[in-house]
Amino acid sequence: MRAAITAGVFGMVLAAIGCGDSEADTKDEFIAQLCAEFADCCVAVGRPGDGAQCRAFYGAFLSSTSGYDQAAADACLDEFRALGSGKCDSASRSTPSCNKVFVSSGGTAKPGEACEDDSDCAPPAAGDVECVSNFVGDATVQQCQVRLPGTEGSAPCVGTVEGNLTVSVGGGDDIPAQGYLCDVADGLSCDSQSGACQALGEVGEACSGGQYACVPSAYCDFTDRMCKASLAVGAACQGFDECVEGASCDTTTGTCVALLAAGEACSSYSDCASGNCVNQKCEASDDLGLVLLCGSS
């Protein structure tokens, strides 16, 4: 699964950066712009900003690719120009064109056929393709699956997309040869019960639970089975997902408290905005993409 992991990291780190204002005519120019623009993101988290690790990573990654899509590269640059200061936040936006800039050397496995990693799968005519794993009994089954953008009612849905995070949804023993991804940015999530993309619940609408039952500014109250507005800092709470963005529910006091910034004292990972509490101090997120692109601190 090494290639699959590398490809996933590649998509994640591309989605964490911004690119320059000029178009990149070659893959080398694209990488040069990419690494230069990401330097300030590395510095911001206390990692080297010279770009050496970034260039080394892409040099190794590109040995397994055979193509460069100029149109996708230009679209990727356009998507990142709109991010501004949010370019360093890998979970803040979805940048789908960036995953299509480099084409892996040609796989031949068709949708539904066995694979070991993404590079084994033949490029699809539309959407993306992944080597998807499923557990059946005491064994693992891996098959190529084409994943298309979903709309409300699209079935079967195979995952919910939030920024650059995809939460896959299993569907029994079988792996569908083709499935749909439901994007939170489009107001959708994958309903595991119906197997279709469904609209996120607005405040006051019924919900059946789960992280993506309601719009991002609301949460699903399990008692009333209703979407309710996220709770402000200082409000009484019971669940981790009830508080507004940038806050969490303190189980000791039962109130929403603001997440702590890097350098502040902490007692648990859940205290920190980065989710990283080391030696009772919040540290920057120990993100695999940051390590691969920036190097160690």
Side-chain angles (χ1 to χ4, degrees):
M1 294 296 290
R2 179 181 180 278
I5 294 172
T6 303
V9 171
F10 177 67
M12 175 183 67
V13 295
L14 272 176
I17 60 171
C19 301
D21 291 334
S22 60
E23 294 182 353
D25 294 328
T26 69
K27 62 183 180 182
D28 290 334
E29 291 178 6
F30 181 75
I31 292 173
Q33 290 185 31
L34 187 153
C35 291
E37 290 293 334
F38 195 55
D40 56 341
C41 299
C42 296
V43 172
V45 294
R47 296 183 183 275
D50 58 8
Q53 176 65 25
C54 178
R55 293 188 295 273
F57 169 75
Y58 283 112
F61 177 82
L62 293 179
S63 64
S64 64
T65 65
S66 59
Y68 172 71
D69 189 323
Q70 179 68 58
D74 293 343
C76 173
L77 300 182
D78 289 341
E79 288 168 359
F80 279 117
R81 289 177 190 132
L83 295 183
S85 60
K87 68 179 181 179
C88 299
D89 183 0
S90 62
S92 64
R93 296 289 194 278
S94 177
T95 51
S97 298
C98 295
N99 291 329
K100 302 176 182 179
V101 174
F102 297 108
V103 181
S104 298
S105 52
T108 58
K110 298 178 181 179
E113 293 184 346
C115 57
E116 293 186 3
D117 54 57
D118 293 350
S119 63
D120 293 333
C121 304
D128 297 317
V129 65
E130 291 189 16
C131 183
V132 176
S133 299
N134 196 16
F135 299 98
V136 181
D138 294 327
T140 299
V141 176
Q142 296 178 186
Q143 295 176 353
C144 295
Q145 181 183 79
V146 173
R147 295 183 156 197
L148 301 168
T151 57
E152 188 172 358
S154 294
C157 63
V158 295
T160 298
V161 177
E162 183 179 24
N164 293 292
L165 172 67
T166 298
V167 179
S168 296
V169 175
D173 293 342
D174 296 327
I175 298 176
Q178 176 177 293
Y180 295 89
L181 294 176
C182 318
D183 200 322
V184 172
D186 297 327
L188 301 171
S189 66
C190 183
D191 180 21
S192 59
Q193 295 182 345
S194 68
C197 291
Q198 66 174 5
L200 298 173
E202 298 286 349
V203 173
E205 295 182 344
C207 59
S208 57
Q211 180 180 3
Y212 299 109
C214 306
V215 294
S217 59
Y219 72 97
C220 184
D221 185 301
F222 290 101
T223 301
D224 297 336
R225 294 292 178 180
M226 180 182 295
C227 291
K228 295 185 177 181
S230 297
L231 303 173
V233 172
C237 60
Q238 296 180 330
F240 75 96
D241 62 342
E242 296 181 1
C243 304
V244 293
E245 184 178 358
S248 66
C249 187
D250 186 327
T251 56
T252 301
T253 62
T255 58
C256 291
V257 296
L259 294 172
L260 302 174
E264 294 188 271
C266 59
S267 58
S268 169
Y269 71 90
S270 60
D271 295 337
C272 307
S274 64
N276 193 25
C277 180
V278 179
N279 293 329
Q280 297 183 319
K281 184 175 71 173
C282 291
E283 292 192 356
S285 177
D286 194 12
D287 188 289
L288 177 59
L290 291 177
V291 174
L292 290 175
L293 283 186
C294 304
S296 58
S297 56

